[in-house]
Amino acid sequence: MNIRTVSTQPFSDQKPGTSGLRKSVPDFQKPHYLENFIQSIFDTQESLEGQTLVVGGDGRYYNRQAIQIILKMAAANGVGQVLVGCGGILSTPAASCIIRKNNALGGIILSASHNPGGPNGDFGVKFNTSNGGPAPEKVTEAIYERTKVIDAYKILEAADINLESPGSFKLGSMAVEVMDSVVPYRSLMESLFDFDQIRQMLTSGNFKMCMDSLHAVTGPYAKAIFEKRLGAPEGTVQNGEPLEDFGGGHPDPNLVYAHDLVEVLFGKNAPDFGAASDGDGDRNMILGRNFFVTPSDSIAVLTANAHLVPGYKNGLAGVARSMPTSQAVDRVAAKLGIDCYETPTGWKFFGNLLDAGKATLCGEESFGTGSNHIREKDGLWAVLFWLNILAVRGESVEDIVKEHWKTYGQNYYSRHDYEEVETDPANKLMEGLRSGLGSMKGKKFGRYEVEYADDFSYTDPIDNSVAKNQGVRIGFTDGSRIVFRLSGTGTKGATLRVYLESYESDASKHGLDPQDALGDLISIADEIAQIKAITGRQEPTVIT
């Protein structure tokens, strides 16, 4: 066994963001760049000897080459066994499932989630810990500190492993198991949902669904579950072949980037139900016939109907949402008499709540929902949850949501994204907002009066860790909110996200176009933050 120790120098830009390290493919292809970050992960673990590691990715460009490098480095660093997805394919939810099922040390997931792929697209590396969830900040900080001083990495000289079909291999003294990652994930889904009832609905001839995998990782999982196991007709899963460039598309399941699915669900002879997932399979978009379900409404509806689903029929310990997510689920939690936790953006903040049994369902407005079955958000899980509810209730998606509004009121909600804003103007905008917080209370903007203004800070109720500067919140006396934050998931410039929310209890005023219902708040947001003046942008890149 020939292990090489390769001299290297630190890179100054390897600080992980919200979900790992994301850069362009050319950045990761720089000599030693990927290796430095992987070695830094290994160097910050207490022990690798004999441990099991899970490795795989969303199939984007450079996925296969990176896996071969990681396998050889794992062998050189004393890892006992690596479980790797067949073809290098491994959805983020499936990775969490496999880490937990095999008591693994953790997993290295290669994905830039919903970011574009291809030779000039984006690539990412995320480390998940033994609970199956994204590494907490104390771990990612340790990795980052190591990247700043690293001077060498270890790698085994060996031929590449055949990843094309399941099999067992050896790399030096390390075992490599190439596995069909669909099987354990499907088994987990079968333990949570009534597959027989869903199958009956899908094969009745009275219900039609469409699943768009956007040429990303969920294709093989969706085909195996919806078409083969649940009996949906062949072709139900569209764009189901993972491609290195996602077919030239943007694997982000929203109304803009999943426009083909939107056209189908809002067209003639539309199916009853539509869904899409993202690059690595952890996000979801839910549509009914001529009806879009906001992610904030989705987690609220799932919470209100969880008792209809086998895996959650005994009740929920609590729910959690990210701070920018609408307060719709808060109203359901209050009626159920359970706690609702408000956390910063980033699924890692839900991990402690889930591990401590404080929360069962979690949701983010960025099209992410999940539960305590794993420690990641889970796109196909959310689709199955909706299908289970539809099968039990026998109503349309639109009817279920509108009935929900009648009971709880409607939280009008929208997110405006300004993508690839120049970094300096973006920072100037946020600094201006923060500097004005102290004098904001009591100010009036038309019929809206500011009740509070702050920069959201979170103290974890389990380990008392504190996360500061998580987004500027401006709350009004009628319960409306505007939130401003810079996203940590882009690789070019900065993405400014503006979140707008107002509550309407009057059923006669439900179902309006959110952009109309929120029109005054949209104008106020620009007035307060001076978005157009500072960024030069006249309108958002994406509105959801």
Side-chain angles (χ1 to χ4, degrees):
M1 187 167 73
N2 189 10
I3 295 175
R4 283 197 302 135
T5 299
V6 181
S7 296
T8 188
Q9 292 182 332
F11 293 89
S12 62
D13 62 347
Q14 293 197 323
K15 183 177 177 63
T18 307
S19 294
L21 180 67
R22 292 183 186 175
K23 298 290 179 183
S24 70
V25 169
D27 280 329
F28 269 102
Q29 289 176 321
K30 294 175 185 175
H32 313 307
Y33 193 91
L34 172 68
E35 291 88 343
N36 275 21
F37 193 71
I38 298 300
Q39 187 65 53
S40 296
I41 293 174
F42 290 153
D43 287 349
T44 51
Q45 302 307 299
E46 287 187 8
S47 174
L48 296 173
E49 291 296 326
Q51 296 277 13
T52 296
L53 186 70
V54 175
V55 175
D58 60 14
R60 67 178 58 231
Y61 189 87
Y62 195 55
N63 189 61
R64 290 172 180 266
Q65 300 95 314
I67 288 174
Q68 298 291 351
I69 291 170
I70 292 168
L71 289 175
K72 294 167 189 175
M73 290 186 67
N77 280 274
V79 173
Q81 178 188 33
V82 173
L83 306 175
V84 58
C86 190
I89 294 293
L90 184 65
S91 78
T92 292
S96 183
C97 166
I98 292 166
I99 290 168
R100 293 170 64 81
K101 181 180 175 65
N102 292 275
N103 297 314
L105 166 72
I108 296 176
I109 302 172
L110 306 177
S111 174
S113 186
H114 53 292
N115 294 11
N120 294 307
D122 292 337
F123 193 77
V125 178
K126 183 173 77 164
F127 180 62
N128 281 30
T129 52
S130 58
N131 73 341
E137 288 193 328
K138 63 181 180 181
V139 175
T140 57
E141 277 299 315
I143 294 169
Y144 175 52
E145 290 301 318
R146 180 58 185 157
T147 69
K148 294 193 290 188
V149 296
I150 190 169
D151 59 3
Y153 62 83
K154 292 189 286 188
I155 188 166
L156 178 72
E157 288 188 342
D160 287 352
I161 292 290
N162 181 2
L163 301 175
E164 300 314 304
S165 56
S168 299
F169 305 91
K170 279 281 189 180
L171 266 180
S173 59
M174 183 182 79
V176 178
E177 187 71 27
V178 180
M179 62 183 300
D180 181 353
S181 63
V182 171
V183 175
Y185 178 79
R186 182 180 59 204
S187 177
L188 180 58
M189 294 302 103
E190 287 176 328
S191 73
L192 298 172
F193 302 108
D194 190 338
F195 270 40
D196 290 339
Q197 192 163 17
I198 297 172
R199 182 183 178 88
Q200 186 177 354
M201 179 179 69
L202 293 179
T203 58
S204 66
N206 300 318
F207 185 93
K208 185 180 178 183
M209 71 169 284
C210 179
M211 175 72 206
D212 192 343
S213 288
L214 300 176
H215 287 302
V217 77
T218 61
Y221 297 85
K223 286 181 179 179
I225 292 172
F226 299 124
E227 295 184 1
K228 295 179 181 178
R229 175 64 178 83
L230 293 173
E234 189 174 334
T236 293
V237 179
Q238 298 181 358
N239 300 319
E241 186 69 28
L243 299 176
E244 289 190 335
D245 65 349
F246 306 116
H250 196 141
D252 195 352
N254 61 44
L255 295 171
V256 174
Y257 295 125
H259 53 83
D260 289 350
L261 177 69
V262 174
E263 288 180 8
V264 170
L265 268 295
F266 282 79
K268 293 182 179 179
N269 302 314
D272 301 277
F273 179 80
S277 192
D278 70 328
D280 64 334
D282 62 358
R283 299 179 187 226
N284 72 91
M285 178 171 71
I286 302 297
L287 298 166
R289 183 184 290 129
N290 297 300
F291 193 84
F292 166 63
V293 183
T294 72
S296 294
D297 276 341
S298 184
I299 183 62
V301 170
L302 298 188
T303 300
N305 289 274
H307 62 284
L308 303 178
V309 176
Y312 308 95
K313 65 182 180 181
N314 293 326
L316 308 176
V319 292
R321 63 165 176 84
S322 64
M323 179 272 287
T325 302
S326 99
Q327 299 164 100
V329 72
D330 302 44
R331 302 180 184 281
V332 181
K335 186 170 183 178
L336 293 176
I338 59 177
D339 289 329
C340 181
Y341 298 89
E342 182 180 39
T343 74
T345 294
W347 205 261
K348 59 190 175 187
F349 291 104
F350 294 137
N352 278 352
L353 296 171
L354 293 167
D355 285 346
K358 297 289 187 182
T360 306
L361 301 187
C362 303
E364 292 186 322
E365 50 70 38
S366 54
F367 295 82
T369 34
S371 85
N372 59 351
H373 69 291
I374 54 173
R375 294 298 180 268
E376 287 278 5
K377 47 186 177 279
D378 191 344
L380 293 185
W381 167 91
V383 175
L384 286 164
F385 208 131
W386 267 97
L387 288 173
N388 204 148
I389 291 169
L390 291 166
V392 173
R393 292 186 56 165
E395 302 168 75
S396 70
V397 171
E398 181 177 3
D399 287 345
I400 288 173
V401 174
K402 287 186 173 178
E403 185 63 31
H404 182 91
W405 291 341
K406 286 180 183 178
T407 302
Y408 297 97
Q410 181 178 2
N411 284 69
Y412 279 107
Y413 184 84
S414 185
R415 187 180 91 188
H416 290 197
D417 290 358
Y418 298 81
E419 296 179 341
E420 297 184 13
V421 175
E422 291 184 17
T423 302
D424 288 344
N427 288 334
K428 177 183 176 183
L429 184 148
M430 293 302 296
E431 288 166 7
L433 283 169
R434 290 188 175 106
S435 66
L437 289 176
S439 61
M440 189 67 69
K441 182 176 172 62
K443 280 190 176 182
K444 291 186 177 180
F445 299 87
R447 63 186 176 90
Y448 293 90
E449 181 179 344
V450 176
E451 183 176 15
Y452 66 90
D454 63 14
D455 196 348
F456 181 61
S457 177
Y458 176 69
T459 300
D460 191 297
I462 309 304
D463 64 14
N464 294 314
S465 60
V466 177
K468 297 181 178 179
N469 303 322
Q470 295 298 311
V472 170
R473 303 187 299 177
I474 298 174
F476 300 94
T477 53
D478 69 343
S480 301
R481 297 191 305 162
I482 302 173
V483 176
F484 303 88
R485 60 180 291 273
L486 298 182
S487 171
T489 60
T491 61
K492 299 174 183 175
T495 295
L496 170 67
R497 302 201 199 280
V498 183
Y499 311 83
L500 308 125
E501 177 181 11
S502 68
Y503 175 70
E504 181 56 69
S505 59
D506 185 348
S508 69
K509 297 179 181 178
H510 292 168
L512 302 177
D513 184 324
Q515 305 313 308
D516 293 334
L518 296 165
D520 289 344
L521 286 176
I522 293 170
S523 298
I524 292 169
D526 184 64
E527 180 181 348
I528 291 174
Q530 294 293 297
I531 299 170
K532 293 176 183 176
I534 294 175
T535 69
R537 299 293 182 86
Q538 296 304 303
E539 59 185 22
T541 314
V542 178
I543 295 176
T544 50

